[in-house]
């Protein structure tokens, strides 16, 4: 997904000022397509120059606050992009690569970092599940709600994978200590057992 199409999507959902858009972006689309506020403002300028969005001064804003809305050409571009062919991107994740490197050079210092990542993914998973509980109660049946819930479910499933995988990775790096074998019976213990048997 590209940032221009993310912004077109958000603005079609609700025309917004640049500040409102960046706040909404952080709370929704930003979960799966991150961008800085500077990138968003820069991209809004490009979209306006391309004729895909327009901006107008908001009433009562003293000429400073502008609201952006999608124009017909911008909507047409988003429709084209939604139906365009695009191959899945291969996975590129530094955490997995670091574990592969650790198999070669040793895993010193890696476990605490994996534990930190696990805590972050657990926190994100908890946030997604709270959003699901709050915004998608059982029985919500409209098409828009089902599609939005499907997007959220993708985030839940992805975070669930990472929490499980990182838990397994940590267990691999920090294996449970094997129980110590019981000491073999020496001559003294054998003599003691013989004495008990003869008593």
């Amino acid at each position: 997904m590209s940032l221009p199409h993310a912004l077109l999507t958000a603005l079609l959902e609700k025309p917004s000022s640049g500040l409102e858009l960046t706040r909404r972006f952080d709370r929704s689309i930003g979960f799966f397509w991150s961008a800085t506020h500077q990138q968003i403002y820069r991209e809004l300028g490009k979209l306006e120059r391309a004729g895909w969005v327009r901006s107008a001064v908001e009433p009562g804003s003293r000429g400073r606050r502008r609201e952006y809305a999608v124009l017909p050409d911008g909507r047409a571009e988003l429709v084209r992009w939604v139906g365009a062919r695009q191959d899945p991107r291969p996975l590129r994740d530094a955490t997995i690569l670091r574990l592969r490197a650790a198999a070669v050079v040793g895993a010193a210092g890696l476990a605490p970092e994996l534990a930190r990542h696990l805590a972050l993914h657990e926190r994100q998973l908890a946030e997604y599940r709270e959003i699901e509980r709050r915004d998608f109660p059982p029985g919500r049946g409209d098409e828009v709600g089902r599609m939005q819930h499907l997007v959220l479910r993708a985030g839940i499933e992805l975070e669930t994978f990472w929490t499980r995988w990182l838990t397994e990775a940590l267990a691999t790096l920090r294996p449970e200590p094997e129980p110590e074998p019981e000491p073999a019976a020496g001559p003294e213990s054998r003599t003691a057992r013989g004495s008990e048997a003869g008593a």
Side-chain angles (χ1 to χ4, degrees), residues 123-175:
R123 190 181 312 153
Q124 187 65 75
L125 179 58
E127 184 174 355
Y128 284 160
R129 285 178 171 159
E130 173 57 24
I131 293 171
E132 182 179 43
R133 184 200 64 76
R134 183 191 68 216
D135 296 344
F136 299 99
R140 181 172 177 177
D142 62 292
E143 183 179 6
V144 171
R146 289 196 305 270
M147 293 178 73
Q148 290 175 340
H149 191 193
L150 189 62
V151 173
L152 179 63
R153 289 296 309 165
I156 290 172
E157 293 297 329
L158 184 59
E159 295 301 328
T160 299
F161 160 76
W162 279 115
T163 56
R164 288 176 178 168
W165 183 83
L166 286 164
T167 299
E168 181 180 350
L170 283 167
T172 301
L173 293 179
R174 299 171 173 169

Side-chain angles (χ1 to χ4, degrees), residues 13-164:
E13 291 173 343
K14 180 185 177 184
S16 304
S17 69
L19 180 59
E20 291 170 341
L21 183 60
T22 56
R23 288 173 177 168
R24 288 176 52 219
F25 204 89
D26 287 343
R27 294 194 305 267
S28 57
I29 292 175
F31 282 130
F32 52 88
W33 191 265
S34 61
T36 66
H37 292 189
Q38 291 81 5
Q39 288 173 320
I40 289 173
Y41 276 100
R42 190 163 54 243
E43 199 61 49
L44 285 171
K46 293 179 182 178
L47 292 175
E48 190 165 20
R49 289 191 295 274
W52 289 358
V53 303
R54 63 158 174 79
S55 67
V57 176
E58 288 187 330
S61 65
R62 300 180 184 176
R64 297 175 62 86
R65 192 177 173 96
R66 305 183 71 82
E67 182 177 86
Y68 292 84
V70 178
L71 293 171
D73 282 353
R75 184 183 185 92
E77 166 57 23
L78 193 60
V79 169
R80 181 207 66 75
W81 180 79
V82 166
R85 176 174 176 159
Q86 186 174 29
D87 292 335
R89 291 189 175 185
L91 177 64
R92 294 177 62 188
D93 187 272
T95 302
I96 296 175
L97 181 58
R98 289 167 75 181
L99 198 64
R100 179 67 181 257
V104 179
V105 300
L110 181 57
E113 180 67 356
L114 293 185
R116 187 179 71 85
H117 280 224
L118 176 59
L120 292 171
H121 284 290
E122 287 174 336
R123 190 181 312 153
Q124 187 65 75
L125 179 58
E127 184 174 355
Y128 284 160
R129 285 178 171 159
E130 173 57 24
I131 293 171
E132 182 179 43
R133 184 200 64 76
R134 183 191 68 216
D135 296 344
F136 299 99
R140 181 172 177 177
D142 62 292
E143 183 179 6
V144 171
R146 289 196 305 270
M147 293 178 73
Q148 290 175 340
H149 191 193
L150 189 62
V151 173
L152 179 63
R153 289 296 309 165
I156 290 172
E157 293 297 329
L158 184 59
E159 295 301 328
T160 299
F161 160 76
W162 279 115
T163 56
R164 288 176 178 168

